[in-house]
């Protein structure tokens, strides 16, 4: 019995996906239908196993032997040797709308891969030109954020890795962007973009042992370590530090009378013994609050 057009098409698809050439002999329409169904199942299973997103996610999270990277990437038509950056985007919920907007922002010819990591995190593997500067990479991050804010009304934060040369470096870049996102959320929550190479003292604190952090706080505050400060006080202090301890400018930006700001600073001095109008005390307080945030995060997890 001759092959039907449907069976011929299915065999052609199987060869395209796997490189396997098969000959099917069927004597009845029933046998042909059964063979067709089995071939389609093989194609589906192969697509699932060798899906680009599955491959890239496995590579990012678990690592894949170098020889296997070249073989599987070649089968999936993913260039191995290419400069790339991982942008790790976090939002409240990773919706189809967000994915579609990003697909329009990065068309297929751009060779950008959108790889969901979890229900609220998306990895964007984006190629960069050899001459791309840090400013261009940062600009792309802001374009992603601004586009989603405008078109999806979604609040997002985004971290990104250093530039990698080939896919074998992808696991390291994923770890970099993951660390940048965690440190950024914890210590720089007022920001929306977190470059891996600009984590500052937050990177150091995040990698300290909990026992050392507790000892540091006890040294600064004694037995009465503060649990934290209310949102208004935290905002006022952060703005005060950003303005280089300038009371007048901070009060102006916060639409607050300077005496009110001074009162709040004095209340902090009473609670902690630190006078934030003194540079050394201000820096000590800033580091101490970052350490407290880190400890709170560790206890919750």
């Amino acid at each position: 019995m001759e092959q039907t057009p449907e069976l011929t098409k299915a065999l052609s698809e199987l060869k395209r996906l796997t490189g396997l050439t098969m000959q099917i002999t069927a004597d009845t329409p029933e046998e042909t239908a059964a063979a067709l169904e089995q071939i389609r199942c093989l194609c589906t299973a192969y697509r699932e196993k060798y899906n680009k997103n599955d491959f890239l996610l496995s590579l990012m999270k678990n690592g894949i032997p170098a020889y296997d990277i070249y073989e599987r990437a070649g089968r999936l038509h993913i260039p191995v040797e290419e400069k790339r950056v991982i942008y790790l985007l976090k939002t409240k919920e990773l919706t189809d709308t967000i994915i579609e907007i990003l697909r329009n922002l990065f068309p297929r010819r751009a060779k950008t891969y959108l790889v969901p990591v979890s229900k609220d995190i998306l990895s964007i593997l984006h190629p960069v030109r050899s001459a791309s500067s840090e400013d261009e990479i940062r600009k792309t991050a802001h374009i992603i954020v601004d586009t989603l804010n405008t078109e999806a009304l979604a609040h997002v934060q985004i971290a990104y890795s250093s530039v990698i040369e080939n896919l074998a470096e992808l696991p390291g870049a994923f770890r970099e962007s993951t660390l940048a996102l965690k440190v950024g959320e914890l210590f720089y929550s007022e920001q929306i973009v977190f470059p891996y190479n600009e984590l500052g003292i937050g990177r150091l604190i995040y990698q300290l042992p909990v026992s050392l952090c507790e000892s540091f706080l006890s040294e600064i505050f004694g037995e009465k370590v503060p649990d934290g400060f209310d949102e208004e006080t935290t905002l006022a202090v952060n703005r005060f530090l950003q303005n280089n301890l300038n009371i007048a400018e901070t009060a102006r930006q916060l639409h607050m009378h300077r005496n009110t700001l001074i009162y709040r600073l004095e209340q902090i001095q009473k609670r902690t013994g630190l006078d934030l109008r003194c540079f050394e005390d201000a820096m000590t307080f800033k580091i101490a609050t970052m350490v407290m945030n880190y400890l709170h995060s560790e206890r919750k997890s």
Side-chain angles (χ1 to χ4, degrees):
M1 184 175 178
E2 293 186 2
Q3 290 183 3
T4 64
E6 291 83 2
L7 187 56
T8 300
K9 183 178 179 181
L11 288 170
S12 177
E13 178 67 6
L14 182 65
K15 182 178 180 179
R16 187 187 71 81
L17 289 172
T18 68
L20 298 175
T21 300
M22 298 181 65
Q23 295 292 331
I24 301 295
T25 301
D27 296 327
T28 65
E30 290 76 16
E31 290 179 350
T32 300
L36 181 61
E37 180 62 24
Q38 290 175 359
I39 292 171
R40 285 173 174 167
C41 288
L42 279 173
C43 290
T44 299
Y46 195 89
R47 285 194 193 95
E48 290 176 352
K49 182 176 181 180
Y50 295 102
N51 176 277
K52 288 183 180 181
N53 282 358
D54 290 344
F55 165 64
L56 291 172
L57 185 60
S58 296
L59 179 55
M60 285 189 288
K61 284 191 167 185
N62 307 314
I64 294 175
Y67 65 86
D68 206 13
I69 291 175
Y70 280 84
E71 180 184 344
R72 292 179 63 178
R75 195 179 296 134
L76 292 167
H77 308 292
I78 300 175
V80 176
E81 305 291 338
E82 186 171 34
K83 291 181 180 291
R84 297 179 173 97
V85 167
I86 288 185
Y87 294 98
L88 207 57
L89 181 149
K90 185 170 185 178
T91 185
K92 186 175 181 180
E93 182 183 3
L94 196 58
T95 64
D96 292 340
T97 300
I98 289 175
I99 298 292
E100 188 60 31
I101 290 172
L102 291 174
R103 281 179 180 153
N104 293 331
L105 185 61
F106 300 110
R108 287 190 178 183
R109 64 178 179 276
K111 296 181 181 178
T112 296
Y113 301 102
L114 308 178
V115 185
V117 176
S118 65
K119 64 180 182 180
D120 58 352
I121 294 178
L122 176 73
S123 176
I124 304 170
L125 185 59
H126 184 60
V128 296
R129 296 172 299 173
S130 298
S132 291
S133 65
E134 177 64 30
D135 288 342
E136 289 176 300
I137 295 172
R138 186 194 305 272
K139 182 179 178 181
T140 299
H142 281 282
I143 288 173
I144 293 171
V145 172
D146 293 343
T147 300
L148 292 177
N149 284 345
T150 302
E151 298 186 21
L153 301 179
H155 173 70
V156 300
Q157 290 178 308
I158 191 167
Y160 60 85
S161 69
S162 52
V163 177
I164 61 174
E165 300 287 336
N166 56 64
L167 284 181
E169 299 174 8
L170 193 57
F174 181 68
R175 288 192 295 271
E176 287 181 357
S177 56
T178 300
L179 175 64
L181 186 61
K182 289 179 178 178
V183 172
E185 283 187 297
L186 184 57
F187 298 120
Y188 312 111
S189 58
E190 71 281 359
Q191 299 179 24
I192 55 175
V193 174
F194 312 122
Y196 173 73
N197 60 349
E198 296 180 17
L199 299 180
I201 196 172
R203 183 201 307 273
L204 178 62
I205 293 173
Y206 191 81
Q207 296 175 341
L208 290 176
V210 169
S211 58
L212 186 60
C213 292
E214 291 173 338
S215 297
F216 171 75
L217 292 180
S218 296
E219 181 181 328
I220 299 301
F221 299 115
E223 296 181 359
K224 297 182 179 180
V225 178
D227 291 331
F229 300 91
D230 61 80
E231 187 174 342
E232 287 186 355
T233 299
T234 301
L235 174 62
V237 169
N238 287 339
R239 191 62 60 85
F240 181 59
L241 297 178
Q242 290 168 8
N243 288 321
N244 299 316
L245 315 187
N246 187 315
I247 290 177
E249 179 60 21
T250 302
R252 185 189 68 80
Q253 292 182 12
L254 294 174
H255 307 289
M256 177 187 298
H257 195 282
R258 68 188 311 274
N259 289 343
T260 303
L261 178 59
I262 291 172
Y263 173 77
R264 289 188 176 176
L265 296 177
E266 290 174 345
Q267 291 300 110
I268 290 174
Q269 185 175 2
K270 287 181 181 179
R271 289 182 61 184
T272 66
L274 298 172
D275 183 359
L276 270 60
R277 290 165 291 189
C278 168
F279 176 78
E280 186 173 345
D281 281 3
M283 291 305 300
T284 299
F285 180 85
K286 176 65 175 178
I287 295 171
T289 53
M290 292 176 73
V291 171
M292 284 191 289
N293 288 341
Y294 168 62
L295 289 180
H296 289 159
S297 172
E298 286 296 295
R299 288 162 185 160
K300 285 181 181 179
S301 60

